[in-house]
């Protein structure tokens, strides 16, 4: 009978001693930060788990962490309060040299995790590991356009430096955008296909509920105690997470209207909306309207769509009256009108231009100087129109305009703008084809959510610095990846080995793939 070898207790003892010494060393450089103190043990555990667990679980864990922990680059809770998740956010998003004092580590841990999962995926493929099942490929045009985004960013960096740009500041103008192709690669190796969409949706909802809980607690408990007026309760980028979760609740019921979906959707939507309400971002409401509008346009003429359309037409006169009466009213009944008015007119004193309007004019002036190729990264936008100097709170404000869309035109011109964002056009095209070819309600719901993600992302980059946000970039990356896989499975894009890979007979109706 086979007898297993005796365990090497000396090996385990040496491991424990090594981890203990590592913790002592971590405590010496951590300056009292408990996360850094236990980082060696956590890192060893994570590395061991990564070698054993399927990639899809690891990628979903990274997705949840990015969405759920405090996003420190955007000064969560206006830095008046640090939630229990703040240390994790600091560890994930701060440059490592700021935490451990090693100057060479000028990158955040999230970059290490992304590249680590990509490397692990490549290794497992090369060694034919059975830990992960085969994954659905991505359409070649989508791969090319995602790669084109990375190449265009590199070209804009070189072009800007050749024109005298500042290297140090240029790196953070494009860093998160350049991570998008890497994130797509990570999710491609990790997610099998459309069957993993429910897990993705649940992960995003979990992140949204976590942020909503932080937002609500801060608004209801902490703010009354400190007695200060706070602009936002979590951070700007969380709007995309909230909208993603709300769209899942709405579209799942739209595509399969049953009681269970309605009940769960209402509960989740209410809990998420409370956090979004307290976060008080106007863009969140604009994105919600834009996402629902995009879903409305994609949805076929079902009885529900006909009813909503007729009701909207009938209510239009009342809506015009409500808008007109509430335009100059400060009553709480007309708060939606005031929000809409602030979007149209901006927030400024009478007779003055809004700060964002002046910034937009300067970005257009910068673009006008080099309309085709832009000025490149590493340059500030010009100040043809005098504007308030906010360098005392944000020294690099001219490198990172709030309007990322116009900023991309200013820095990259028409060529750079097109090269970086052409993948979004391909995503909308492919997901539209997949939506109308899918017979699974879950997949059709996913398609509408993805359309909403693109709409809310464009709002976020136009109204805020969404292009340099890990949260926004990761939500877009997972949506792009799922779009490609859905397009292949539904037949929206040709896949010669589709029937064989999905176990279908060559003449079988493609609805069986759903």
């Amino acid at each position: 009978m086979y007898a297993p070898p005796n365990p090497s207790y000396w090996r385990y003892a040496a491991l424990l001693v090594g981890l203990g010494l590592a913790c002592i060393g971590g405590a010496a450089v951590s300056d009292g930060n408990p996360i850094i103190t236990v980082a060696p043990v956590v890192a060893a555990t994570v590395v061991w788990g990564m070698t054993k667990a399927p990639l899809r679980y690891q990628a979903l864990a990274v997705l949840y962490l990015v969405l759920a922990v405090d996003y420190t680059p955007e000064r969560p809770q206006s830095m008046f309060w640090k939630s229990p998740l703040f240390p994790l956010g600091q560890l994930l998003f701060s440059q490592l040299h700021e935490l451990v004092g090693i100057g060479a580590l000028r990158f955040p841990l999230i970059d290490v995790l992304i590249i680590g999962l990509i490397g692990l995926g490549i290794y497992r493929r090369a060694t034919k590991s059975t830990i992960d099942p085969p994954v659905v490929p991505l359409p070649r045009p989508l791969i090319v356009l995602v790669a084109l985004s990375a190449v265009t960013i590199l070209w804009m960096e070189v072009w800007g430096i050749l024109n005298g740009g500042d290297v140090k500041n240029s790196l953070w103008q494009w860093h998160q955008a350049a991570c998008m192709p890497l994130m797509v690669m990570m999710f491609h190796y990790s997610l099998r296909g459309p069957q993993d969409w429910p897990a993705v949706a649940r992960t995003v909802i979990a992140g949204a509920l976590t942020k909503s809980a932080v937002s609500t607690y801060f608004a209801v408990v902490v703010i009354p105690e400190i007695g200060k007026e706070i602009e936002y309760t979590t951070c700007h980028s969380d709007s995309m997470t909230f909208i993603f979760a709300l769209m899942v609740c709405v579209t799942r019921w739209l595509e399969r209207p049953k009681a269970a979906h309605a009940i769960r959707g209402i509960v989740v939507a209410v809990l998420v909306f409370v956090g979004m309400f307290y976060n008080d971002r106007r863009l969140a409401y604009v994105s919600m309207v834009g996402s629902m509008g995009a879903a409305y346009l994609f949805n076929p003429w079902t009885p529900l769509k006909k009813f909503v359309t007729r009701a909207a037409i009938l209510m239009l006169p009342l809506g015009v009256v409500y808008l007109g009466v509430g335009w100059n009213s400060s009553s709480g009944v007309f708060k939606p009108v005031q929000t809409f008015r602030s979007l149209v007119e901006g927030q400024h004193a009478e007779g003055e231009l809004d700060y964002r309007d002046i910034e937009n004019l300067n970005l257009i002036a910068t673009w006008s100087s080099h309309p085709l190729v832009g000025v490149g990264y590493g340059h500030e936008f010009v100040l043809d129109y005098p504007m308030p100097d906010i360098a005392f709170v944000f020294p690099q404000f001219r490198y990172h305009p709030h309007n990322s869309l116009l900023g991309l035109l200013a820095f990259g011109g028409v060529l750079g703008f097109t090269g970086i964002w052409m993948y979004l056009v391909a995503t909308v095209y492919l997901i539209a084809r997949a939506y109308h070819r899918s017979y699974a309600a879950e997949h059709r719901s996913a398609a509408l959510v993805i359309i909403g993600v693109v709409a809310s992302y464009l709002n976020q980059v136009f109204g805020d610095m969404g292009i340099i946000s890990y949260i926004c970039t990761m939500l877009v990356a997972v949506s792009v990846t799922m779009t490609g896989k859905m397009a292949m499975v539904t037949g929206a894009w040709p896949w010669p080995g589709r029937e064989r890979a999905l176990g279908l007979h060559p003449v079988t109706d493609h609805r069986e793939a759903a």
Side-chain angles (χ1 to χ4, degrees):
M1 188 174 70
Y2 171 76
N6 292 327
S8 174
Y9 295 105
W10 287 108
R11 184 185 305 167
Y12 292 118
L15 177 62
L16 291 175
V17 171
L19 291 176
L21 292 175
C23 285
I24 294 173
V29 300
S30 67
D31 194 25
N33 190 328
I35 296 294
I36 304 302
T37 302
V38 301
V41 176
V42 174
T45 305
V46 169
V47 170
W48 178 84
M50 288 176 66
T51 61
K52 304 297 182 182
L55 278 172
R56 65 180 179 277
Y57 298 140
Q58 301 180 51
L60 292 175
V62 171
L63 175 62
Y64 172 76
L65 288 174
V66 168
L67 302 182
V69 303
D70 285 10
Y71 188 52
T72 53
E74 292 187 6
R75 296 171 53 84
Q77 295 82 245
S78 300
M79 298 305 291
F80 284 104
W81 176 70
K82 295 180 180 179
S83 83
L85 296 173
F86 184 88
L88 278 176
Q90 194 175 28
L91 177 63
L92 201 62
F93 299 114
S94 298
Q95 294 189 49
L96 292 177
H97 78 91
E98 298 175 359
L99 302 177
V100 300
I102 301 176
L105 303 179
R106 295 186 175 274
F107 48 83
L109 179 61
I110 181 62
D111 290 357
V112 178
L113 294 176
I114 293 170
I115 295 175
L117 287 182
I118 293 172
L120 183 58
I122 294 173
Y123 171 78
R124 288 183 178 177
R125 281 196 170 192
T127 58
K128 294 181 171 52
S129 171
T130 58
I131 297 177
D132 297 297
V135 300
V136 174
L138 297 179
R140 186 168 297 177
L142 187 61
I143 297 174
V144 170
L145 292 177
V146 168
L148 176 64
S149 180
V151 172
T152 306
I153 290 171
L154 178 60
W155 168 75
M156 288 172 57
E157 170 71 3
V158 173
W159 172 246
I161 300 307
L162 290 176
N163 287 322
D166 182 270
V167 177
K168 181 179 178 181
N169 282 298
S170 70
L171 297 178
W172 295 104
Q173 286 180 294
W174 54 259
H175 181 87
Q176 286 82 350
C179 285
M180 188 280 302
L182 297 176
M183 293 177 183
V184 170
M185 189 181 300
M186 176 189 74
F187 286 122
H188 168 58
Y189 284 134
S190 305
L191 301 177
R192 296 166 295 179
Q195 67 266 40
D196 284 333
W197 171 259
V200 171
R202 286 193 292 267
T203 301
V204 177
I205 289 174
L209 290 174
T210 303
K211 279 294 179 71
S212 181
V214 171
S215 173
T216 304
Y217 181 84
F218 180 58
V220 175
V221 178
V222 178
I223 290 179
E225 290 182 356
I226 62 179
K228 291 184 177 292
E229 185 175 348
I230 308 299
E231 184 181 358
Y232 54 90
T233 55
T234 55
C235 72
H236 295 60
S237 297
D238 289 331
S239 296
M240 274 197 68
T241 308
F242 294 143
I243 298 306
F244 192 116
L246 292 174
M247 285 293 292
V248 170
C249 298
V250 173
T251 60
R252 184 171 286 173
W253 179 81
L254 283 176
E255 292 299 332
R256 195 175 181 185
K258 63 178 187 177
H261 286 170
I263 295 172
R264 286 198 300 265
I266 290 173
V267 172
V268 172
V270 169
L271 294 176
V272 170
F273 183 80
V274 170
M276 188 175 83
F277 171 79
Y278 283 125
N279 200 35
D280 197 24
R281 298 289 86 199
R282 294 175 298 165
L283 273 179
Y285 301 104
V286 174
S287 296
M288 188 63 198
V289 172
S291 299
M292 291 301 298
Y296 169 86
L297 294 175
F298 270 76
N299 202 259
W301 283 100
T302 61
L304 177 61
K305 182 174 179 178
K306 293 178 181 178
F307 171 79
V308 170
T309 303
R310 290 165 182 162
I313 294 174
L314 291 174
M315 295 292 290
L316 184 60
L318 182 60
V320 172
V321 173
Y322 175 75
L323 189 67
V325 173
W327 192 260
N328 294 308
S329 173
S330 59
S331 172
V333 177
F334 297 105
K335 187 173 182 179
V337 179
Q338 296 307 311
T339 300
F340 177 73
R341 180 180 177 181
S342 69
L343 290 169
V344 174
E345 297 183 348
Q347 295 176 316
H348 53 85
E350 186 175 352
E352 297 180 358
L353 280 175
D354 182 77
Y355 175 90
R356 299 290 183 88
D357 293 332
I358 302 174
E359 184 184 73
N360 291 345
L361 289 173
N362 284 319
L363 289 171
I364 294 172
T366 307
W367 175 35
S368 299
S369 64
H370 297 81
L372 188 63
V373 295
V375 296
Y377 285 129
H379 292 270
E380 300 175 309
F381 61 79
V382 299
L383 290 178
D384 283 8
Y385 302 88
M387 61 186 296
D389 188 349
I390 60 171
F392 65 98
V393 293
F394 188 15
Q396 295 83 22
F397 76 100
R398 289 175 62 191
Y399 290 99
H400 303 285
H402 287 85
N403 192 322
S404 303
L405 189 148
L406 289 180
L408 192 56
L409 275 172
F411 300 133
V414 174
L415 292 180
F417 183 92
T418 303
I420 289 180
W421 274 350
M422 183 61 75
Y423 75 91
L424 289 176
V425 178
T427 298
V428 173
Y429 172 76
L430 290 172
I431 203 61
R433 290 176 61 87
Y435 175 76
H436 292 289
R437 285 164 174 76
S438 177
Y439 288 85
E442 192 70 41
H443 298 169
R444 291 169 61 85
S445 167
L448 295 180
V449 173
I450 290 170
I451 290 295
V453 168
V454 175
S456 59
Y457 179 66
L458 293 177
N459 275 325
Q460 201 69 23
V461 298
F462 184 82
D464 205 353
M465 296 182 285
I467 201 169
I468 60 170
S469 166
Y470 276 106
I471 292 176
C472 300
T473 306
M474 185 156 283
L475 288 173
V476 168
V478 72
S479 299
V480 169
T481 307
M482 294 305 300
T483 292
K485 293 179 184 291
M486 285 186 61
M488 300 297 270
V489 169
T490 59
W493 191 261
W495 180 13
R498 176 171 168 271
E499 289 82 6
R500 182 175 64 257
L502 299 177
L504 299 177
H505 189 275
V507 297
T508 302
D509 191 323
H510 72 271
R511 72 182 62 190
E512 294 184 18

